[in-house]
Amino acid sequence: MNISKDLYKTSLTLLTDFYQITMAYGYWKQNKGEQKAVFHGYFRKAPFKGGYAICAGLGYVIDYINQFEFTPDDIAFLAQQKDNNDKPLFEKGFLDYLSNLKLSVNVYAVEEGRAIFPNEPFIRIEGNLIECQLLETAILNIVNFQTLIATKAARLRIAAQDDTLLEFGLRRAQGIDGGITATRAAYIGGFDATSNVLAAKLLDIPVKGTHAHSWIMSYDDELKAFKAYAEAMPTNCIFLVDTYNTLEGVKKAIKVGLELREKGYEMIGIRLDSGDLSYLSIEARKLLDEGGFSNAKIVASNDLDEYLINNLKKEQEAKINVWGVGTKLVTAYDQPALGGVYKLGAIENEDGHLDYKVKLSEQVNKISTPGILQVRRFRDEKGKYSADGIYNEEFTMSENCTLIDPNNGIRSKKITEKDQGEDLLIQIFKEGCLVYEKPSIHTSKDKTLTELSRFDNSIKRFYNPHEYPVGLEKGLYELKLEVINNLK
């Protein structure tokens, strides 16, 4: 099989769950397909037991919607599907409808790099019922994963502080697409560069790397290996020193570094990939300083995550200033899925007006919120973010209002005219046409760093973070109760 031809260069419109197609068919059969509807995408719980998430994936959602069409191959595949009586599952009229389908949706979304919180929509889709339904799976597939990785990366950025962060995860990533999208999300979340060459090319981000243990092992001894690499790439020398004896490896790296200096070049540093990273980095730093390489970097890798980096820096006083993170970043090792959902908030009735809809559950946090939802983020007088308010766009949100916790009605927060607010959901598509200029990935990364600086540190703690206030505007809260009470 030609992977490039058969998978990555094919139409992605069928990147969906089959029930989206069968529901679309049912809507078409029941003449419901043209009903106006409003859907919202959101998640119920912040990942990694943290206090926030970093929104990512919108760039790919835009590309998916822009390229959305059922190709002849797609239609041919659907025409082959059989029902339980071995008859065609879909009528030709429906397949013709799909063949001619052009999206006319309005899309509002939170920009990449912004912080988002449980229960508040990161995307709102308005349009015909069939069109909104067909977009669900792809949107969740794209945003769930990239938001998860960007959030992990942001946590690692907080742990590393101003140190350099390198993404090293391609060989452990979940397939080709998982590797590239993980790199993209990691960069948005705050990483500085990647070892993933294809991703660096596609995304226009820095690529970094020197050599592996196999380079050392391909020579008779470690010193020869270092000298050979220095001869081949004198301006790119970070020597991996832990193949045999780490501290002896550092001494040999210093010897080669001095030879490089005599030729007018400078050794960049060393890399540690095993052992006691704290002890070894401290001892290596002593050796490097004594050898005249006080500016040489100490790079560390080996199953790092935010907890270990935080501990190495704050508790163990490690002398590491570049961190290579792989497996535990690109696989979201301690939480493999975000759990974002996509729920109907309103649908057109026979009179042409919108009926508000709610999904009930015995679990309070799984009860959806009706309406055409928008999120307003407030800042206090010092410019710090103080609360997010969810409101129904069909009604105005006053400067003085009350936000009520959707999961606990006795918890509330007052908002006054002193609190400056901005709406987070901005229009991306208008009647199927892109009206938003995608920022560069570098701009999205800068947005993440700016966002993180505007939240109190208590929100960003790794352990028992403070719960950032997110509430329903009082009128929306009361509307939600009314819709629930009127359910038959």
Side-chain angles (χ1 to χ4, degrees):
M1 182 179 75
N2 185 328
I3 291 177
S4 176
K5 178 177 183 296
D6 294 340
L7 179 59
Y8 292 99
K9 290 187 178 179
T10 189
S11 164
L12 293 179
T13 302
L14 294 186
L15 181 67
T16 189
D17 292 303
F18 194 50
Y19 74 15
Q20 309 291 10
I21 307 290
T22 58
M23 281 193 291
Y25 180 56
Y27 292 145
W28 179 81
K29 288 276 286 184
Q30 296 297 319
N31 296 315
K32 288 174 61 68
E34 300 304 308
Q35 277 183 272
K36 301 301 180 184
V38 180
F39 284 79
H40 303 97
Y42 61 96
F43 61 92
R44 299 187 178 109
K45 188 175 182 180
F48 312 114
K49 298 181 181 180
Y52 64 94
I54 296 297
C55 194
L58 177 60
Y60 279 23
V61 170
I62 290 171
D63 291 342
Y64 178 82
I65 293 176
N66 259 338
Q67 299 168 20
F68 187 96
E69 68 170 338
F70 286 90
T71 66
D73 282 350
D74 296 336
I75 298 300
F77 174 78
L78 294 176
Q80 295 170 9
Q81 304 312 306
K82 306 294 184 181
D83 63 16
N84 289 328
N85 295 320
D86 202 33
K87 299 291 180 63
L89 183 60
F90 303 115
E91 294 179 22
K92 183 178 183 302
F94 174 66
L95 298 178
D96 290 342
Y97 170 86
L98 293 183
S99 294
N100 296 312
L101 181 63
K102 302 296 182 185
L103 293 183
S104 59
V105 291
N106 295 320
V107 178
Y108 298 81
V110 176
E111 292 188 286
E112 293 187 286
R114 301 219 68 165
I116 50 178
F117 297 90
N119 300 308
E120 60 183 32
F122 55 76
I123 196 166
R124 186 177 85 226
I125 310 291
E126 304 172 356
N128 297 339
L129 183 56
I130 284 179
E131 296 179 24
C132 294
Q133 194 73 68
L134 289 173
L135 292 176
E136 173 181 1
T137 299
I139 287 173
L140 292 179
N141 172 272
I142 293 167
V143 177
N144 274 340
F145 180 70
Q146 292 198 44
T147 296
L148 191 70
I149 303 303
T151 305
K152 189 69 167 177
R155 290 164 61 85
L156 283 154
R157 168 48 63 203
I158 290 171
Q161 299 172 9
D162 294 328
D163 293 348
T164 298
L165 281 172
L166 306 177
E167 181 268 306
F168 282 175
L170 179 58
R171 65 188 59 196
R172 304 286 174 78
Q174 315 292 22
I176 299 171
D177 184 62
I180 293 172
T181 54
T183 298
R184 180 181 189 274
Y187 190 79
I188 290 173
F191 270 59
D192 297 293
T194 181
S195 65
N196 184 337
V197 181
L198 179 58
K201 172 192 171 185
L202 295 174
L203 302 171
D204 186 29
I205 62 176
V207 62
K208 298 290 183 182
T210 53
H211 66 79
H213 293 107
S214 55
W215 175 272
I216 307 297
M217 296 162 66
S218 70
Y219 289 86
D220 292 339
D221 63 63
E222 192 172 39
L223 184 60
K224 285 183 180 179
F226 287 166
K227 286 184 175 183
Y229 192 82
E231 182 179 346
M233 300 195 75
T235 62
N236 191 43
C237 286
I238 296 179
F239 297 113
L240 182 57
V241 296
D242 71 331
T243 306
Y244 304 118
N245 180 300
T246 300
L247 295 181
E248 289 301 313
V250 175
K251 294 174 184 177
K252 293 171 185 174
I254 292 170
K255 184 174 182 179
V256 176
L258 291 171
E259 294 175 359
L260 271 171
R261 187 173 283 171
E262 290 178 358
K263 298 175 182 178
Y265 302 105
E266 192 68 17
M267 177 177 70
I268 299 171
I270 63 163
R271 178 159 76 96
L272 307 171
D273 190 48
S274 61
D276 187 331
L277 295 179
S278 175
Y279 168 77
L280 292 172
S281 68
I282 291 170
E283 294 303 310
R285 182 78 273 160
K286 292 177 183 176
L287 292 171
L288 289 167
D289 290 350
E290 291 168 359
F293 292 94
S294 58
N295 292 326
K297 303 290 186 181
I298 298 180
V299 183
S301 47
N302 189 27
D303 283 338
L304 298 172
D305 63 13
E306 67 268 41
Y307 302 103
L308 182 53
I309 291 175
N310 188 62
N311 183 268
L312 283 166
K313 285 182 68 70
K314 292 185 177 180
E315 302 297 327
Q316 301 186 50
E317 298 182 343
K319 301 302 181 182
I320 299 161
N321 39 32
V322 180
W323 307 87
V325 188
T327 304
K328 293 189 175 180
L329 168 64
V330 302
T331 66
Y333 191 82
D334 44 345
Q335 182 172 331
L338 178 63
V341 296
Y342 185 87
K343 299 299 180 185
L344 179 67
I347 191 167
E348 185 181 24
N349 61 28
E350 294 179 355
D351 297 326
H353 300 107
L354 287 177
D355 283 339
Y356 297 128
K357 295 293 182 177
V358 65
K359 185 262 181 189
L360 286 183
S361 173
E362 293 181 1
Q363 295 174 255
V364 175
N365 71 324
K366 286 195 171 184
I367 299 175
S368 64
T369 299
I372 305 173
L373 305 182
Q374 176 62 272
V375 183
R376 185 164 295 174
R377 179 157 295 163
F378 295 95
R379 295 189 199 181
D380 61 23
E381 295 173 320
K382 296 180 180 179
K384 291 285 187 180
Y385 293 139
S386 56
D388 284 7
I390 305 169
Y391 69 98
N392 185 1
E393 277 204 343
E394 289 206 311
F395 303 96
T396 59
M397 189 176 191
S398 64
E399 289 184 335
N400 296 281
C401 64
T402 300
L403 306 181
I404 301 176
D405 186 333
N407 298 324
N408 184 351
I410 64 172
R411 296 179 63 190
S412 63
K413 182 177 179 64
K414 297 286 186 182
I415 300 296
T416 71
E417 63 275 1
K418 293 181 180 180
D419 299 293
Q420 299 296 313
E422 61 173 325
D423 288 344
L424 298 188
L425 292 168
I426 63 175
Q427 188 154 27
I428 309 299
F429 284 89
K430 182 177 182 180
E431 297 179 356
C433 296
L434 182 64
V435 294
Y436 171 76
E437 185 175 349
K438 283 198 298 184
S440 72
I441 192 172
H442 312 292
T443 299
S444 297
K445 174 186 173 181
D446 291 343
K447 190 179 292 291
T448 298
L449 301 178
T450 300
E451 282 282 277
L452 292 174
S453 71
R454 289 176 177 166
F455 286 99
D456 187 84
N457 287 334
S458 63
I459 306 294
K460 298 176 283 187
R461 291 194 300 246
F462 297 149
Y463 298 100
N464 302 314
H466 179 69
E467 185 177 349
Y468 178 76
V470 176
L472 304 182
E473 183 268 331
K474 185 178 179 182
L476 177 59
Y477 181 80
E478 292 171 347
L479 171 66
K480 181 175 181 176
L481 295 180
E482 179 183 343
V483 173
I484 292 172
N485 290 331
N486 288 337
L487 285 174
K488 297 179 180 180

